[in-house]
Structures are given as structure tokens and as C-alpha cells.
Amino acid sequence: MHLATYLGLLHHAEHTLAEAFRRVGDGHAAEPDVFHLCEVLARQCDRHTDALVPVVERHDERRETEPERLLTAGLGETRSGGVGLLRDLQDLYTLASFVDITWTVVGQAGQGLADRELLDVVGTCERETAVQLRWLRTRIKQAAPQALIAAR
Amino acid sequence: MDEADRISDIWGARTPHARDESWPVRVDMHLDGDVGEADVDRWVQSACVLCSNGCACDIAVKDGRMVGVRGRAQDTVNHGRLGPKGLYGSWQWSRSDRLTRPLVRENGELVKSDWDTAMGRIVERSRALLDDVGPLSHGFYTSGQLFLEEYYTLAVIGKAGIGTPHMDGNTRLCTATAAAAMKESFGSDGQPGSYTDIESCDAIFLFGHNMAETQTVLWARVLDRVHGADPPRVVAVDPRTTPVAEAAVATGGVHLAPMPGTNMALMNALVREVIHRGWADRDYVYAHTLGFDELAATVEPYTPEVAAKICRVPASDVRRAAEIFGTSPRVLSTVLQGFYQSHQATAAACQVNNLHLLRGMIGRPGCGILQMNGQPTAQNTRECGADGDLPGFRNWDDAEHIDQLARLWNVDPLTIPHWAPPTHAMQLWRYAEQGSIRLLWISATNPAVSMPELARIRAILAREDLFVVVQDGFLTETAQYADVVLPAAMWGEKQGTFTNVNRTVHLSDRAVDPPGEARSDLDIFLDYARRMDLRDRDGAPLIAWTDPEGAFAAWRECTRGRLCDYTGLSYEKLRGGSGIPWPCNDEHPEGTDRLYADGVFPTDPGVCESYGHDLLTGGSLDERTYRALDVRGRALLKGSPYTAAPEAPDDEYPFAVISGRTAYQFHTRTKTGRSRQLRRAAPEPWVELSVADAARLGVAEGDVLCVESPRGSVQAPARIGRGRDGVVFVPFHYGYWDTPAGRAPGDDPHAANELTLTEWDPVSKQPLFKVAAARVVRVADGTGPAAAPTTTASAPARPGAVAGTVGGPGAATQERVGESAPPPAPPTPEHTPGVPRHEATDRS
Ligand code: SF4
């Protein structure tokens, strides 16, 4: 069963996203809302990772050999300025979207297995990931015109 | 007729009465020196603009000057009363150091100039920037102190003329959360309750609201219930022992003093208790709200014990407060800066709405919510869209709403920026800091004292590449940084209307001429529009009006059919009698006392002012997601978990420092600091700390303290007061205009906002003035007690330790009780005008 592989993938992706939130927050500390919310959302990702641990452990015994090139790459150095912020938020958006669809994938497997514990975790984390995406989209929309038109 | 010293006796003589009786009339009058009532040449109708209460008054004019004020007995807001600021502070400034000519900066100095030169410079810079960069180079930062006509004109100039989204006001710092919370819960801004709810409530909850000092006349109204038969229980949430907290104890209520930044934990516990103990009105919740299950799940972890630990208050007090809320037949709640300027502001204010929705206590006598405003005309900044809103409570994300405005103004809808919510103040200043906003026009407000983290604000104002226009009556701290200063006429020197906390609209007539060449803010905006040659899509002038009444007529059209409907109002109708609360239209010509009597709310897509946000992050819902909720006129129960504040006391900075107000000063004291009586009552800042903290630090009353945060410091004498341990209070009114340094601290830093941090609520974007961490160091012996008022929350812990605050002979005020019958309350329509009708949701 490849579910274990995918749970591992998701675990890793949430961890990567948490790190990315922290990196973007620190890199743009002069934007107080970005700094603060990135930390709040990073902690949310940490909780998602923790919530996955028991499920991962439960399914780990039945792990297949891992196919290649599954893991997501993290974020590099953050960029600076208005356009840099925009671009970094877009990177976060991409990562969070990946996490989001991975929860969907895992949730489908949970349905197939009627794994109630897993479905509970998926329900909460999927909802919170949707909020993360919503915030990113809102902030990107707000930042875009000024960064692209008026910034020097 | 009785004479009172309304400095020592802030609320005046009691006129107690029983529940459901009207509040008696008491006419308060203060006239200058030996001017008698009979000596006055003319009385000119107005209302006070020194807080959001909007007490109606008549201005006394003698020999062409304002010489005093008298409350208007026939007005539903104040029944004749005025408070110390209104009595002593509303008119005295008019004869002092006013700006009388435009100033322009030459070789680094501000020099006297004329209107043509000053406006010419603005227009030249404005045009060049529009050509070069476009509208995003322009920012407008206005006030909570202008008139409706001025805000609306400014909004049309900014949104349809220039086309910039960068328009906000000082209201962001004081009332943004009130608006945000109402949008989240009810779909739109618009105060559900009314002051008349005070007369009939059985309990009154004041959440972070020291009403006794911020709206003194409203508190007098509460006191008359507290001292009458069947008084309401008072519950106060405030880290200081305010007069409100004292009333809580006296009435058998509760005083909860949570640690700053923890309101959300407390509110979640109160909501949880109401649900768990079965006090929710299940039928109302089912028929009129959406989101109960999610809310119940969100608050589930917050037992009274959990909240008690986070907030550091006794769990039994949390239970007791919930019980009073849950079991009193009629509850009135008010909310102000202790919530709005703190962490998780919107989420916490929404929980107040939730408590009322859960108990079905909305729209009935005594069952009100008053999400308060700070500044006098803040409501109009919001309605008119001179802040981060669109005129008439329209939704920036609703294409039809944008089309309505485009048709009204006859412009291309694409001119009106609506790709994202209008830029909030904190972001606007950030763009100026980054150099992408290059023209900042500040009207009638003083950010160099009122914004958080002042060192940063001063640096932005001083930027070479930022062209700063300041329009004010005085050379404020902010004006001293300007490139062009425009002298503005002020209250009593111009005409216009404005709206108070409970939606009551007042007319303020012109009593005297403005000094020198000063012009009304309206005339200044109109002049700019003319010189910029702003036109509509047919080439006609964009702004068709030329005077206040014309602006009011245009505004009326803009509100037609909306919740804030003004179409039934006119200057003529507002003159002579009482102010009238909107919505007011042909069908409801006497206005509306309470909203939402039938539990139907303006939440429908197509009507609502916002599709709402996630309360934790501020991420906005899009139209599709919102439509999928199928709200059908129901209110939304929204929740959020408690999160730790971005800054909390630690080893290095062990205190929580909060800023706040005193009864005797308003805002940055530009007016009240020029009143003899008020200045004497609260002449200078102080640092308030608890008895135990003072003992630990070896501090005696009056010792000079230095309060240091990671951002700056404040020095002032110590008041050993009655706040909770671990919390330090500094009044925010005191800047530098009356110090040798003029606009900046020099070697005497004492503005509270030297300490505060640049951080804001994710939904309302209101800055967090009440969560900074600081350390306190004793720097010198005192020369006597601190000059903090003894009559208010700043009273010394040891009564009698300090001489009492008095006004003396110059403060004599006449109070005439019961000369006329109280004015009748306005009607409450069964269904709220401007809200689509819905049948109650059926349980089947
Ligand atoms: S309560 Fe407010 S509006 Fe009324 S007199 Fe006092 S300052 Fe003015």
C-alpha cells in the first residue's frame, strides 16, 4: 500500500511549509502582518505535522519501497522589496496548494479505508490549509498593484 | 438652578429613575467669565465633537466670538447634558494660536504664504506624480473629526477623481474594529442598539470600555439607572479600577481584569458557558444565525479554568459574569478600545455580538449592542468611504456596487479602485515608508502623536521624497513636518452634519467666522478638485456641489436604499428639534432607534458590505464561497481560537504597557489642551502602576519613571494607582506642541506612542496600542505627587494621598433639572429599512 509513502510525503510537505512560512516571515519582518501571521501559520503547520504522526506510525509497517522524486523542495533565500514580497508569497502559495491537494489525496485514501482517525485529521487540517491559502491570496491581491506599478 | 464644578464633578447631579422610565432632562450650561445667559447675542445649533457621543448643544456667540455652550434639552442623545470636555473644551481653543495663513516650506523652513501659492504647489506635485507614476502615488489620511460633507467630497475626489485606493483615516486607530465586527456578524456596519437601551436593561456589560471617561454623558445616563430603583448589574472588563469597575462591584456585578492581550480567551469562555449552561435561545439561533456548530466547537476548550489561567483572573469571576449574561432578561453591551486596540480585536468584538445572538438579545428594548466609536465623526468617515470603506457601506468586491457608484458619479467603473479592499492606514504609511506613496495629504489629524511607534512615523514624515500636505486649525506636531500647511476652519466656524455612535445625525451650524484666511475643509477639497480639473466621463466637473448643503444632497442620493439611508433627512429637518438616527427615509421619516427587531440582517450577497473574513488571518472570502453559505438574512456566528499576542512581557521587558484616555483631554489635545480648566485638570502625562509593583521597584508617588519598550521610552511622574499588577498605564494625549522641542521628544520623551508597536489586527487592521512590553526604571525623586486626575481611573490607590482635582471658580457650570419633559425616543421599525425581507427559517 502506497498510503504510507504519501503520508510521509504529506508530513514532509507540512514541515517544509512551516519552514517556508518562518523564512518568509523573517525575511519580511518589516511587514509586521506578514511577520506575525507567518509565525501563526507556521505553528499551525507544526500542529498538522504532529497530528499526522500517529497515523504515519500506524501505517508505516505496510510501507512499500518509495518511488523517486516525491518530496517537495523548500524555499531558497527570501527576496527583498515589494516585488520580492509578492514573489515569496507566491512561493508560499504554491507550497500550500501542494499541501492542500495532498490532504485531498490522503483523504480519499482515508475514505477508501474507512479510517475514521485519519479522516478526522484530514478534516481539520484541510480546513486550516484552506484558510492559509485564503490569507495568501488576499495578501497577494493587496500587494500586487503597488509592487508592480508604483514601487521603485 | 444649581451650580456645579464639572471638573471635580465630572458627571454632574444625579437624576435617578427606575427601569423603563425616560431619562430626565438636565440642561448644562457653561459661559465664559462673567458672561450671563442674557448677555449672549445668538445661540447657534450644533453638537459636541469631543467624543463619539455627539451631545447636542447650542453655541453661545457674543460680539462675533464663541463664549460658551448649553446642552439641548430636546435632543434624544443627551437630554440637555454636557460633560467637562464639551463644557470647557469645545470653544475656548478658537481664540488662541490658530493657523491663519497657508504655509509653504522654503529652504527647510515653513513660511507664511497665500492660497494660490500653496494650492499651486500641491496641484503641481499632484499632476507630476499622476503623469509619472499614476494614482498609486497618492495617499489621503483623514480624520474622525470632519463633517460628513467633507468626507464624502474627499471620498469622491480620491476614488473617482484621482482613482487611488490609498485612503484611510485616523478612524483606523479608534473605530475600525467596531465596523469590522459588525460586518462580520451582521453583514454591514450599522449600530444595532441605541442609547435608549440603557433605560431598560437589567445588566450592562462594558468590554474594554471606560465609558465614565470616554463618553462622560453616556455614563451619567448609566449612573442615573444605577442610582435609581431596580438598577442594572454592571460588568466591567478592564485591567484598571475605573469608575465603571467600581460600579460593577457596587451593583453586584463583576470586575474582570484580564492581562492585556488575552481578551479572546475570556470571550471564548463566556460564549462556552452560555452554550454549556443552556442559556442560549435555541429557536433564535436556529432561525436567525448561521455557524453555531463551528462556534461551539471552537470555544469548547475554553473552560472558565483555562481562561482564568490565560487571563489571570479568578475562574469564579468568569462563571459569575457568564451567569449574569446568561440569566438577565435584558442585557446591553458596549465595546471600546480595551478590545479594539488589543490583540485579536475583531475576533473578540465578534464574540460580544455572538453572546447577544446566542441569547436572541438584539433589536428589543434593553437588549442592545453598542460597538462604540472613539472619535466624534468616525461613523461618517466609515459611511462616506473616506477611510478604507466604500460610500454607503458598499462592498468593494461586489461588481454591482461598484457600478452603482460609477453611475452615481458618472465615471468609468474601472476608475474606482476595487481590486482589493481600500488600503488600510498601516499599509498606507508602509508604502510611504517604502517610497511608493509620494504625496500624503493629512487632514484634521495628528499622526505624529497618535500613530504607534512614533520614531518611525517621524522618520516617514521627514522623508525627502514624500510630499506632505497638512490641513489643520493649528500647527500640530504633524503640521511641523509638512511641505504645505493649509489653515482650516473648525467646529463652529463652518457648517455640516455628523453622526454619533447610535446613528444620530446632527446639524452643526456656523456660529462665527474662521480666523484670518482659514477655510473650511470642504472648501479646501473643492478648491483642489477645481484646480485639478477633475471631470466625469462626459467632461462635466466631477464634483457638482459648491457648499455643505449641496454635498449633503449628493450624499443623500448615495445612501438611497442602503442601510445608512439619509434620504429622509435635510438641514431643515435637522434644525430646531432633536438629532435623528438613520436609516431615515420617506417611509420612516422619524428615523430608526434600533436595528434588526425581526432578526433579519443585511447579510444577503448583493446587499452586504463584505463577504467576510477568516478571523484568525483576515483572509477574505470570495463571492462564490459566500454565496454557497446561503445566508438568507441570517447573522453569522464566527469564532477563532485564542492566540498569544505578538509581544508579551518577558525577563527584559517585564511589564505590559497600555495607553489610554483621561476624561479631561481629547485625542492629542489640540482643542482640550487649550482650555484653561481642562489643562489644569490634566496638565501632563503620568505613568500609572500598581501598589505592589511600586513597592517592588521602590517607587513613591511622583517619582520620575522611565518606561522603556524595544522601540522607545517615556519619562513621567509615577501615579501609584489601582491597576492590576504587571500592567503600566500611560495616557496617550500628550505630544510635544506645547514643549520647547515642538514636534519631537527632544530630551523629554513623553508621548505614549513612543512605546507602542507597529502591529495590527488581521481583520480590522486596527493597531495594537494595548499590548506592548516594557521595563520601568526609577530615574529621579519626585517634586510632589503626579499631576494625574484624582477623580477618574487614575485616582491614587491611597485616597487622600494627593490633593483632589478641582476646577475652581472658573469652572462654574449651571445645571437645570427637569425644566422640560424628556424627548420621546425615535421609533423602532419592525423590519429594518434597507434590509431585504426574509421569512424566518423553518425548522423542518
Ligand atoms: S460626552 Fe462627548 S460629546 Fe458629550 S459633551 Fe462630553 S465630549 Fe462632548
Side-chain angles (χ1 to χ4, degrees):
Chain A
M1 201 164 63
H2 284 292
L3 175 59
T5 316
Y6 244 75
L7 287 171
L9 167 64
L10 182 53
H11 188 271
H12 180 266
E14 281 281 7
H15 179 72
T16 309
L17 181 58
E19 275 198 336
F21 269 124
R22 291 209 165 87
R23 184 166 284 194
V24 172
D26 289 342
H28 297 278
E31 313 293 339
D33 60 332
V34 173
F35 176 73
H36 177 65
L37 278 170
C38 279
E39 181 53 36
V40 168
L41 298 180
R43 270 187 238 145
Q44 206 170 57
C45 295
D46 292 344
R47 281 197 299 277
H48 295 180
T49 331
D50 293 346
L52 269 172
V53 170
V55 194
V56 171
E57 279 170 0
R58 201 153 44 76
H59 288 277
D60 211 33
E61 290 121 50
R62 301 167 61 190
R63 188 185 263 281
E64 309 276 334
T65 37
E66 198 154 313
E68 284 171 40
R69 293 189 294 112
L70 273 189
L71 298 188
T72 43
L75 224 62
E77 287 300 305
T78 53
R79 307 156 176 101
S80 65
V83 176
L85 171 68
L86 194 61
R87 189 64 187 80
D88 286 340
L89 291 173
Q90 276 183 273
D91 274 348
L92 282 177
Y93 192 85
T94 310
L95 270 179
S97 304
F98 179 80
V99 169
D100 182 55
I101 192 68
T102 310
W103 279 112
T104 307
V105 171
V106 168
Q108 292 301 97
Q111 296 279 3
L113 291 171
D115 183 335
R116 192 166 295 282
E117 186 197 1
L118 175 56
L119 287 174
D120 278 352
V121 175
V122 171
T124 311
C125 297
E126 227 181 5
R127 234 189 349 262
E128 292 187 342
T129 306
V131 169
Q132 295 178 358
L133 283 168
R134 183 175 299 150
W135 174 69
L136 285 165
R137 179 172 265 283
T138 305
R139 193 63 179 83
I140 287 168
K141 279 176 79 174
Q142 183 212 329
Q146 198 72 8
L148 299 187
I149 300 168
R152 284 186 282 193
Chain B
M1 185 193 309
D2 282 323
E3 222 166 67
D5 174 345
R6 294 293 299 284
I7 293 293
S8 59
D9 180 8
I10 297 175
W11 306 286
R14 289 281 58 73
T15 50
H17 64 91
R19 189 180 51 201
D20 293 322
E21 284 176 5
S22 337
W23 189 35
V25 165
R26 185 191 82 198
V27 174
D28 296 351
M29 180 180 71
H30 174 75
L31 296 173
D32 195 23
D34 34 340
V35 178
E37 199 169 5
D39 304 329
V40 172
D41 298 337
R42 284 181 305 132
W43 293 94
V44 179
Q45 182 175 345
S46 183
C48 175
V49 286
L50 289 174
C51 85
S52 59
N53 208 48
C55 297
C57 63
D58 289 311
I59 306 171
V61 180
K62 183 172 163 54
D63 302 329
R65 311 183 72 175
M66 297 196 266
V67 293
V69 284
R70 183 176 66 194
R72 288 174 64 81
Q74 64 272 54
D75 199 274
T76 55
V77 168
N78 55 323
H79 294 206
R81 287 165 192 73
L82 295 172
K85 280 183 293 184
L87 291 164
Y88 310 118
S90 56
W91 50 278
Q92 282 187 44
W93 47 264
S94 66
R95 53 183 63 172
S96 56
D97 50 330
R98 291 289 299 283
L99 286 170
T100 54
R101 287 178 60 182
L103 310 175
V104 296
R105 196 165 288 280
E106 292 285 356
N107 305 319
E109 298 289 318
L110 281 173
V111 297
K112 292 208 168 78
S113 180
D114 54 70
W115 280 100
D116 264 341
T117 310
M119 292 305 289
R121 286 199 188 184
I122 297 171
V123 167
E124 188 192 354
R125 179 63 71 106
S126 195
R127 283 232 168 88
L129 283 172
L130 288 178
D131 289 346
D132 200 26
V133 189
L136 297 177
S137 57
H138 281 50
F140 293 89
Y141 186 66
T142 190
S143 172
Q145 302 178 47
L146 296 182
F147 290 152
L148 175 165
E149 294 78 359
E150 296 166 331
Y151 293 133
Y152 184 57
T153 305
L154 175 62
V156 180
I157 290 173
K159 292 177 204 296
I162 304 297
T164 177
H166 307 322
M167 178 173 276
D168 202 356
N170 182 268
T171 46
R172 183 66 63 183
L173 317 184
C174 86
T175 139
T177 302
M182 292 189 278
K183 288 183 217 174
E184 295 301 325
S185 300
F186 313 126
S188 173
D189 193 346
Q191 193 69 266
S194 165
Y195 290 174
T196 56
D197 290 325
I198 293 171
E199 273 83 77
S200 25
C201 64
D202 300 297
I204 169 165
F205 277 63
L206 296 101
F207 295 98
H209 182 195
N210 182 7
M211 187 197 281
E213 294 194 57
T214 52
Q215 287 87 10
T216 61
V217 170
L218 198 59
W219 183 243
R221 195 164 184 160
V222 172
L223 283 179
D224 284 341
R225 277 294 318 278
V226 166
H227 288 254
D230 33 71
R233 287 216 164 81
V234 177
V235 175
V237 180
D238 199 312
R240 298 166 80 208
T241 308
T242 59
V244 176
E246 290 172 317
V249 175
T251 57
V254 188
H255 172 206
L256 292 156
M259 275 302 284
T262 65
N263 293 331
M264 196 58 196
L266 174 67
M267 295 312 294
N268 279 346
L270 292 178
V271 170
R272 182 186 183 277
E273 278 292 286
V274 166
I275 294 174
H276 268 248
R277 313 252 325 247
W279 292 318
D281 177 342
R282 292 273 167 174
D283 291 339
Y284 188 93
V285 168
Y286 187 83
H288 300 287
T289 72
L290 206 61
F292 177 81
D293 292 341
E294 240 185 283
L295 177 68
T298 306
V299 299
E300 187 50 32
Y302 301 89
T303 61
E305 282 68 26
V306 166
K309 211 165 146 217
I310 297 171
C311 307
R312 290 198 242 149
V313 298
S316 55
D317 284 358
V318 178
R319 282 210 174 78
R320 174 81 186 115
E323 187 182 333
I324 294 174
F325 201 101
T327 59
S328 300
R330 292 179 282 184
V331 183
L332 169 65
S333 292
T334 75
V335 196
L336 195 58
Q337 310 307 10
F339 272 42
Y340 297 167
Q341 295 185 337
S342 193
H343 180 52
Q344 296 191 286
T346 307
C350 280
Q351 299 321 299
V352 177
N353 297 342
N354 288 347
L355 284 170
H356 281 263
L357 289 166
L358 287 172
R359 288 217 59 214
M361 288 206 289
I362 215 164
R364 287 187 281 128
C367 300
I369 301 169
L370 294 170
Q371 296 278 1
M372 298 294 294
N373 304 336
Q375 294 195 67
T377 72
Q379 186 62 48
N380 304 109
T381 327
R382 275 148 49 186
E383 293 160 12
C384 296
D387 63 351
D389 291 308
L390 288 185
F393 296 157
R394 285 178 175 83
N395 181 353
W396 64 269
D397 210 6
D398 183 331
E400 169 52 25
H401 283 190
I402 301 298
D403 283 346
Q404 288 169 8
L405 291 175
R407 283 195 297 273
L408 193 66
W409 299 334
N410 192 28
V411 296
D412 181 343
L414 271 181
T415 320
I416 305 170
H418 64 281
W419 51 77
T423 312
H424 62 90
M426 302 304 288
Q427 190 63 51
L428 196 153
W429 283 88
R430 174 70 181 142
Y431 288 150
E433 184 177 38
Q434 290 176 309
S436 65
I437 285 181
R438 296 175 225 180
L439 185 155
L440 182 59
W441 189 323
I442 301 166
S443 43
T445 192
N446 193 9
V449 182
S450 55
M451 285 285 286
E453 202 177 347
L454 289 182
R456 170 174 174 263
I457 296 301
R458 287 189 291 263
I460 297 173
L461 286 169
R463 279 180 71 101
E464 280 296 321
D465 61 354
L466 182 67
F467 188 79
V468 179
V469 180
V470 171
Q471 166 177 330
D472 208 305
F474 294 93
L475 193 66
T476 60
E477 289 86 343
T478 306
Q480 294 177 54
Y481 286 92
D483 295 286
V484 175
V485 179
L486 304 173
M490 295 170 62
W491 181 86
E493 300 165 348
K494 61 180 185 179
Q495 187 185 42
T497 54
F498 64 95
T499 308
N500 80 339
V501 171
N502 74 337
R503 296 173 271 101
T504 304
V505 187
H506 284 120
L507 173 69
S508 180
D509 267 325
R510 172 167 161 159
V512 298
D513 292 333
E517 295 175 25
R519 292 182 185 171
S520 76
D521 296 274
L522 177 66
D523 283 340
I524 297 172
F525 293 141
L526 290 174
D527 189 30
Y528 174 68
R530 220 164 17 236
R531 288 175 194 259
M532 290 295 288
D533 198 26
L534 302 179
R535 296 192 171 264
D536 68 12
R537 67 197 311 175
D538 295 328
L542 176 68
I543 314 269
W545 54 91
T546 55
D547 62 2
E549 204 159 354
F552 188 84
W555 166 243
R556 237 174 9 212
E557 277 318 301
C558 186
T559 65
R560 190 175 289 282
R562 301 292 297 160
L563 180 61
C564 56
D565 198 329
Y566 279 69
T567 51
L569 294 171
S570 65
Y571 279 19
E572 197 190 318
K573 192 160 172 189
L574 291 170
R575 202 170 272 131
S578 173
I580 299 172
W582 60 248
C584 175
N585 56 20
D586 290 346
E587 223 179 304
H588 301 280
E590 300 316 314
T592 301
D593 196 27
R594 257 174 235 103
L595 305 181
Y596 314 136
D598 58 357
V600 180
F601 300 89
T603 43
D604 281 11
V607 174
C608 64
E609 191 181 1
S610 161
Y611 296 133
H613 300 80
D614 167 60
L615 296 186
L616 180 71
T617 63
S620 37
L621 265 70
D622 58 24
E623 181 176 352
R624 210 167 32 137
T625 317
Y626 188 74
R627 281 189 184 275
L629 293 175
D630 190 24
V631 285
R632 279 179 285 135
R634 287 172 288 177
L636 292 134
L637 296 167
K638 291 195 172 181
S640 170
Y642 158 78
T643 60
E647 189 165 293
D650 57 17
D651 289 347
E652 203 183 344
Y653 297 103
F655 286 93
V657 60
I658 55 175
S659 72
R661 284 140 196 85
T662 179
Y664 301 107
Q665 299 289 359
F666 176 65
H667 210 244
T668 62
R669 290 179 308 129
T670 36
K671 287 178 178 168
T672 51
R674 289 174 169 91
S675 148
R676 282 186 312 278
Q677 297 87 348
L678 298 176
R679 197 179 169 89
R680 261 223 322 236
E684 55 182 44
W686 67 92
V687 172
E688 203 173 300
L689 72 175
S690 77
V691 176
D693 288 336
R696 216 160 33 77
L697 297 172
V699 171
E701 168 74 32
D703 284 356
V704 181
L705 299 183
C706 179
V707 183
E708 267 173 22
S709 84
R711 293 153 296 274
S713 65
V714 162
Q715 282 200 22
R719 162 56 43 91
I720 301 180
R722 305 173 303 158
R724 64 162 301 152
D725 296 344
V727 178
V728 169
F729 172 88
V730 186
F732 95 111
H733 308 289
Y734 300 89
Y736 306 104
W737 60 263
D738 48 354
T739 69
R743 65 179 198 181
D747 48 15
D748 179 22
H750 61 229
N753 282 319
E754 306 292 350
L755 304 170
T756 45
L757 68 165
T758 303
E759 185 69 67
W760 55 85
D761 179 68
V763 183
S764 69
K765 323 291 188 204
Q766 185 158 351
L768 275 51
F769 290 102
K770 296 186 191 278
V771 293
R775 59 175 165 242
V776 178
V777 185
R778 183 181 175 284
V779 290
D781 288 345
T783 51
T790 62
T791 41
T792 60
S794 57
R798 213 151 51 81
V802 178
T805 303
V806 291
T813 291
Q814 267 138 46
E815 298 183 344
R816 295 194 293 246
V817 174
E819 280 190 347
S820 51
T828 294
E830 208 171 296
H831 178 79
T832 314
V835 178
R837 284 181 191 271
H838 280 278
E839 295 311 314
T841 310
D842 178 344
R843 241 182 204 291
S844 55

